[in-house]
Amino acid sequence: MKAFEVKPGVYWVGAIDWDIRSFHGYKTQRGTSYNAYLILDEKVTLVDTVKAGFADEMLARIRDVVDPARIEVIVSNHVEMDHSGGLPKMLEVVPNATVVTTRQGETGLQGHFKADWNFSRVESGAEMTIGKRTLRFFPCPMVHWPDSMVTYVPEDKLLLSNDGFGQHIASAERFVDEFGFEIVMEEAAKYYANIVLPFGTQVQKLLSSLAGAEVDMIATSHGLIWRDHLADIIGAYKRWAANETVSKAVIIYDTMWHSTEKMACALREGLEAEGVPTTMGNLGTSHISDIMTHVIGARGIAIGAPTLNARMFPTVAAGLTYIAGLRPLNRLGLAFGSYGWGKQGVNDIAEAMKQMGWATPVEEVAVQWVPGEDDLARAREAGAKFARAVKGTQTA
Ligand code: FEO
């Protein structure tokens, strides 16, 4: 197992998880990596570890450049076990190493591992000298856990960003420019949409604390490392954190006997006729975590479900629960769906949209049984009206 030098004296010693396809419910079709970094300085330092089952891979990569027993400092930027799972094995090798973390990090690590390690708690802006280098710590609570932190190395202009700016990609390449910018950006968007989206205010706070820091490399703890396109990924984080949207729509739905599907298609026709690019997300065939990639930039979100047992169809209920948890703000919503003898499904969707604080500029569209030509014309007109609201040319 090889270590990869990403800056002089700084090595990637992580692990690649080629097989993972579900990351607590997020579909990871490209796998992922757990990126740990080894800094060779007077005090040999390890920043983050890997998921537990990959600790031997990390140790083998460390051994490629240094005896792991020489590690004196271990920075734990984040307690979640994809980054801390390798700590117990690492601390068996170096039981006296200093584990640098936040107050919440110490509590979280003790809660996970019941361990009495040599903790050193850091506050925002705290520094530690490890020789020629300084480690500067920026706790960023709720990006995306209470303990989350990033570590900055000014001498290397290096930001060790943990989950921030990450992507779930397993690859032989280590840098964004080696792998392909467009794919990495799409995966970074999916990652933000499914993990970071609820924490826009906290992301903005972190970006402003880092504003004075000169950075020419962002070494993430998942996926590819940014050594170019930094302005692109930071700009995207600013837009996503501000819930900035464009004149696009997503139609999210499921269907039982194709009635709600026909309505979804008619809505799309109306949206497209008004020039609003529209993405279809059928929850029966697409995973909600993939659909979320489109939700982060779209101003208009139409959600449709048939009524089943006096409730909205369960896949749509699950999708809505997921979306509500991720808290996309400043969206326009449109509820629609078919029903047999009670249209509670559509009403439930409209209510959920109101609870998320979305404006609903167009009245919900409900159709009994199977939509006829007149119903489809009504759905097309609702789609066109919704499109005008999405474009900002009509507010009601
Ligand atoms: Fe990559 Fe929040 O763990």
Side-chain angles (χ1 to χ4, degrees):
M1 289 283 177
K2 299 290 289 178
F4 290 82
E5 193 168 32
V6 297
K7 287 249 180 193
V10 180
Y11 294 83
W12 176 91
V13 289
I16 304 170
D17 192 344
W18 299 96
D19 295 332
I20 189 168
R21 290 294 177 271
S22 176
F23 200 106
H24 46 57
Y26 168 157
K27 288 287 172 215
T28 48
Q29 295 94 333
R30 294 182 189 275
T32 194
S33 67
Y34 313 110
N35 301 339
Y37 297 94
L38 181 74
I39 306 176
L40 294 190
D41 210 313
E42 286 165 30
K43 287 182 181 169
V44 176
T45 298
L46 180 67
V47 180
D48 291 317
T49 68
V50 295
K51 201 170 168 181
F54 294 84
D56 286 337
E57 180 174 342
M58 177 186 71
L59 279 162
R61 293 189 193 278
I62 294 171
R63 233 175 262 124
D64 183 44
V65 284
V66 73
D67 178 357
R70 285 192 51 208
I71 291 173
E72 289 184 55
V73 176
I74 303 175
V75 177
S76 172
N77 279 320
H78 182 26
V79 170
E80 196 165 8
M81 286 187 286
D82 48 330
H83 309 294
S84 68
L87 271 174
K89 203 154 203 175
M90 197 62 242
L91 281 143
E92 279 172 22
V93 179
V94 282
N96 297 319
T98 303
V99 178
V100 180
T101 186
T102 59
R103 181 176 55 79
Q104 296 92 333
E106 181 179 337
T107 308
L109 290 172
Q110 283 171 335
H112 278 72
F113 302 108
K114 325 299 178 204
D116 187 21
W117 295 328
N118 179 24
F119 288 108
S120 172
R121 290 186 199 172
V122 289
E123 307 280 342
S124 189
E127 291 187 349
M128 173 184 260
T129 303
I130 56 168
K132 294 188 187 69
R133 294 177 180 81
T134 315
L135 305 180
R136 193 173 298 156
F137 304 104
F138 292 93
C140 46
M142 300 320 295
V143 183
H144 67 125
W145 274 26
D147 57 273
S148 296
M149 175 169 87
V150 301
T151 299
Y152 174 57
V153 188
E155 294 82 1
D156 290 317
K157 299 181 185 173
L158 172 65
L159 182 67
L160 299 149
S161 64
N162 194 263
D163 277 335
F165 309 105
Q167 338 87 39
H168 282 314
I169 298 175
S171 61
E173 297 77 11
R174 299 274 60 85
F175 294 103
V176 172
D177 52 286
E178 294 171 337
F179 187 82
F181 171 66
E182 298 293 339
I183 298 172
V184 176
M185 270 310 284
E186 185 178 338
E187 291 295 341
K190 179 176 177 183
Y191 188 97
Y192 189 98
N194 284 281
I195 293 177
V196 193
L197 184 57
F199 310 112
T201 307
Q202 293 87 341
V203 170
Q204 287 171 327
K205 210 177 276 181
L206 174 64
L207 291 174
S208 70
S209 353
L210 292 170
E214 219 180 327
V215 175
D216 68 11
M217 183 180 288
I218 300 177
T220 62
S221 286
H222 294 293
L224 286 306
I225 297 168
W226 302 89
R227 66 179 172 187
D228 65 352
H229 290 293
L230 267 71
D232 291 303
I233 186 64
I234 292 169
Y237 261 61
K238 285 181 181 166
R239 289 195 303 280
W240 297 332
N243 269 279
E244 276 182 28
T245 55
V246 296
S247 180
K248 286 186 177 180
V250 184
I251 299 176
I252 303 168
Y253 69 99
D254 203 345
T255 198
M256 289 170 67
W257 293 100
H258 302 292
S259 291
T260 301
E261 181 182 45
K262 285 177 184 163
M263 296 173 70
C265 292
L267 283 173
R268 184 186 60 182
E269 284 177 39
L271 279 149
E272 286 183 354
E274 288 285 339
V276 172
T278 300
T279 300
M280 302 294 272
N282 179 346
L283 287 162
T285 56
S286 298
H287 195 264
I288 186 65
S289 61
D290 289 317
I291 296 170
M292 280 308 299
T293 311
H294 303 284
V295 168
I296 53 167
R299 190 168 304 136
I301 315 292
I303 301 178
T307 296
L308 179 71
N309 301 327
R311 296 184 188 277
M312 74 176 102
F313 198 63
T315 52
V316 180
L320 255 172
T321 299
Y322 190 77
I323 294 167
L326 290 167
R327 297 202 294 275
L329 305 175
N330 311 329
R331 300 306 200 276
L332 303 180
L334 169 59
F336 69 97
S338 61
Y339 65 97
W341 50 96
K343 57 176 182 175
Q344 294 93 332
V346 180
N347 296 341
D348 288 349
I349 295 169
E351 183 54 35
M353 288 176 167
K354 281 183 191 131
Q355 283 179 11
M356 287 190 282
W358 296 2
T360 49
V362 178
E363 195 181 342
E364 51 265 30
V365 188
V367 169
Q368 190 170 23
W369 306 123
V370 174
E373 270 316 308
D374 51 341
D375 297 311
L376 294 175
R378 188 157 56 89
R380 273 191 290 273
E381 181 44 41
K385 200 172 169 189
F386 190 54
R388 292 192 287 275
V390 166
K391 290 189 292 184
T393 54
Q394 180 174 310
T395 52

